[in-house]
Amino acid sequence: MPFRLLRFALSGKYPEPRMFRDRNRLKSSYDAVIVGGGGHGLAAAYYLARDYGMTNVAVLEKSYIGGGNTGRNTTIIRSNYLTAEGVKFYDQSVRLWQDLSQDFDLNLFYSTRGHFTLAHTDSAVRTMRWRAEVNKHYGIHSELVDADGVKQACPQIDLSCGGHAPILAALYHAPGSIARHDAVAWGYGRGADQQGVEIHQQTEVLGITVKAGRVTGVETNRGEIATPRVLCAVAGFTPRILQMVGLRSPLSIHPLQAMVSEPMKPWLDPIIVSGSLHVYVSQTARGELVMGASLDPYELHSTRSTLEFAEGLASHLLDLFPFLSHVNVVRQWAGMTDMTPDFAPIMGKTSIDGFYLDAGWGTWGFKATPVCGKTMAYTVANDRNHELIQDFSLSRFANYRLVGEKGAASVGH
Amino acid sequence: MVCPVNGARPVSEFVCWGEVRLMLDPNAVNDATWADYVFNRNSVPDIKREWWCHTPSNTWFIAERNTQTDEILQTYLYNGDAA
């Protein structure tokens, strides 16, 4: 091992192969431009090239790939949603996840853990039963388990939660999983790159040219590009891109914070979520606890962290696991989420020809990465909304056809 | 945050109720305009006038805030000027 490390110090050039090529020149035109080099944008690029043969495609990322919400989420993957549209959509995504490591020849550390959503009140128990029945109807493994079932899977838990919010039952979702989020962006990036897609980092979009209701080009900090198709997959930056093309949306931007503990011996196998206590927690392969809570309560375009958040989350986590009182927090961070009023995404075609939107993913976008890539690639290639995303279009608001996906992030709403 | 009545208080005592907007007359506008008013928001970072409420005293007031830096420029009681 030391000799392998020495190679990096002595070699003038980086001695290992890079995940993808560094492109030093933007071409003057592309068949499609994808704005945003996160998981969603790179997945769309990958499936556009692989399934539809569109390889003259550029992915523009203003920072580095996977540096936005793809690298800031808490990596939970599940499909135990409440509405028919949601359940079908996320189930497809979970299936895609399961084969992804092999598709990429890259270890995503995809780890199926089982997912418990705790119910502390009678009304929460009713909602859990409702979600379990909707899930079962669509053939998804979810069931209501009682408090003993929770204790069996997670013996360390304090079922009384300090006495003020006793756990009555839980929605158990067997396929609930976690994965290594950076690797997802790298895997899709490498896959797209190998098929000829160009990934341009440090390339910021400054404007989008629309002529007679059609997209004709993109203006960047590295020059202008002509293109008939633009896919916008930029999460918290979506309103700024929409302003460039003159579209309005119901998105509201809120920071979502998370934090991670020091590494410990493996003790927590399942993923534990509590809506009432506003906490979700899982233990990574490295032994750290990854923890998150609900959104910051007002609009803010920033990824700052707050002490209020860390204190609030820690106190709720101690309700569940009092023995963690000596464990240190090592990192805290935030991402900018684009929330919709009905907790469902905004996907597909827009009123501008050639401008496609993949946004409104708020706090629940990571788990949908593969299926978003696939359905958006279909939509861009055929200029027709994929059937799985028909209900998610931007026009649903003008038509008063909201989706109402309250199972979206399990906490905070 | 400075409440115009109670002075500087911890921000956790306040709730934000969104940008100050003029309510349309639902009987006078068509469905599309009404949907735009009900759902769509201006979410581009900017200095915005927002409704805030100090919950312990139920004081409603207006704050001018930079939504990119979270700087509060000034707070004052509503003076009838909604637009």
Side-chain angles (χ1 to χ4, degrees), chain A residues 248-249 251 298-299 301 400, chain B residues 31 36 43 65 67 70:
Chain A
R248 283 171 58 76
S249 78
L251 295 172
Y298 54 87
E299 179 189 351
H301 300 259
Y400 300 91
Chain B
D31 283 357
D36 180 61
S43 291
R65 187 172 68 93
T67 60
D70 209 12

Side-chain angles (χ1 to χ4, degrees), chain A residues 239-240 243 248-253 298-302 304 308 341 397-398 400 402, chain B residues 11 16 31 34-36 39-45 48 50 52 65 67-70:
Chain A
R240 299 183 216 189
Q243 195 184 34
R248 283 171 58 76
S249 78
L251 295 172
S252 174
I253 309 299
Y298 54 87
E299 179 189 351
L300 184 62
H301 300 259
S302 161
R304 58 97 178 92
E308 286 99 341
F397 297 99
Y400 300 91
L402 275 59
Chain B
V11 75
C16 178
D31 283 357
W34 183 245
D36 180 61
F39 297 115
N40 288 343
R41 296 289 178 270
N42 166 28
S43 291
V44 176
K48 287 188 180 171
E50 295 170 321
W52 283 73
R65 187 172 68 93
T67 60
Q68 183 143 30
T69 61
D70 209 12

